[in-house]
Amino acid sequence: SQQGEEDPQALSIQEGENATMNCSYKTSINNLQWYRQNSGRGLVHLILIRSNEREKHSGRLRVTLDTSKKSSSLLITASRAADTASYFCATARLTGGGNKLTFGTGTQLKVEL
Amino acid sequence: GAVVSQHPSWVICKSGTSVKIECRSLDFQATTMFWYRQFPKQSLMLMATSNEGSKATYEQGVEKDKFLINHASLTLSTLTVTSAHPEDSSFYICSASLRPGTGDLLDQPQHFGDGTRLSIL
């Protein structure tokens, strides 16, 4: 079953605007990661935030984590048409089989010129 | 660095055929490889976790006799869909975690292949 729920499911913005995606989860986590998927391709890791961190930046990306609310947000600033993709949050926990990720439902972002 | 190659990228075959998908870590040793299934416009569902030299761990509801996983080396894992039927048609994606030298295994992101689109006629 899916641990994470993301909203919005779909987001359409103009180039240059900021895009914010939210992710909620249900159980305790070790870290939360955001991935990007272009249509018909694999996933690309964007950023990882540990459970004891509240905010993290990487280039035009800003991620926040609120463990009390079990939620995270991904902000993409000054969006570009090339940012058009699906974005997934994933919560990580260590199991006997390794670092296991549970993915959210995803947000489809479309950035228009 | 941390490139994962998945092959083939697209397969069309007849019902009843067995299909093998390969996942290779090209420039690193992968402690663990993961196999996911993704339906159109949906999220990734973990099918199984594959550790080198040991049996794969399957998620609840995934038939181990249907989806055979072999992880013979630190750079190669294979998924074989046996006697495939139209309902097995899907997008299959593998990922690999780096073998940690230093640092926390939990902080290792997964590196994904480009996926295999399987269509069973």
Side-chain angles (χ1 to χ4, degrees):
Chain A
S1 63
Q2 288 299 315
Q3 155 126 288
E5 297 289 330
E6 293 181 60
D7 76 273
Q9 290 188 340
L11 178 61
S12 182
I13 60 174
Q14 297 293 313
E15 198 170 49
E17 294 180 338
N18 295 342
T20 300
M21 290 160 264
N22 302 296
C23 166
S24 62
Y25 57 92
K26 296 176 182 175
T27 64
S28 62
I29 63 172
N30 295 109
N31 64 55
L32 186 143
Q33 303 176 30
W34 285 89
Y35 288 82
R36 164 196 169 125
Q37 183 181 33
N38 283 47
S39 181
R41 304 295 296 274
L43 277 70
V44 175
H45 179 259
L46 295 176
I47 196 166
L48 180 153
I49 186 165
R50 295 181 180 138
S51 59
N52 61 354
E53 296 176 314
R54 292 296 166 258
E55 187 171 313
K56 202 162 183 179
H57 297 255
S58 177
R60 293 185 296 114
L61 306 180
R62 173 179 167 252
V63 169
T64 63
L65 179 64
D66 187 335
T67 52
S68 66
K69 295 181 180 178
K70 291 186 167 55
S71 67
S72 174
S73 68
L74 171 67
L75 168 68
I76 303 174
T77 60
S79 64
R80 305 165 181 167
D83 294 329
T84 295
S86 292
Y87 292 82
F88 294 92
C89 68
T91 53
R93 59 186 176 91
L94 188 63
T95 70
N99 180 8
K100 183 174 172 178
L101 294 180
T102 303
F103 284 86
T105 50
T107 294
Q108 292 186 47
L109 174 65
K110 184 175 182 181
V111 182
E112 299 186 83
L113 294 169
Chain B
V3 176
V4 174
S5 173
Q6 188 172 340
H7 178 81
S9 56
W10 197 9
V11 180
I12 302 175
C13 58
K14 294 180 180 179
S15 185
T17 307
S18 292
V19 179
K20 180 185 282 189
I21 303 169
E22 290 189 351
C23 182
R24 292 181 185 272
S25 56
L26 297 185
D27 52 1
F28 67 100
Q29 290 186 328
T31 307
T32 306
M33 289 185 172
F34 303 87
W35 288 95
Y36 297 86
R37 183 173 181 174
Q38 185 179 32
F39 291 103
K41 298 191 183 301
Q42 293 190 26
S43 187
L44 280 72
M45 298 295 294
L46 179 65
M47 298 174 65
T49 303
S50 171
N51 290 295
E52 184 262 341
S54 63
K55 289 185 179 180
T57 302
Y58 289 82
E59 294 299 300
Q60 192 173 10
V62 177
E63 299 176 59
K64 59 181 67 177
D65 294 331
K66 176 74 171 176
F67 299 99
L68 299 178
I69 291 172
N70 183 275
H71 194 156
S73 75
L74 281 171
T75 59
L76 174 64
S77 177
T78 60
L79 168 67
T80 301
V81 183
T82 62
S83 187
H85 292 282
E87 58 267 27
D88 298 323
S89 298
S90 190
F91 191 56
Y92 293 87
I93 311 176
C94 72
S95 71
S97 288
L98 278 161
R99 183 175 197 171
T102 57
D104 191 348
L105 174 61
L106 278 173
D107 287 344
Q108 301 289 344
Q110 289 184 18
H111 303 278
F112 285 80
D114 268 344
T116 298
R117 187 158 304 282
L118 176 61
S119 296
I120 309 298
L121 304 176

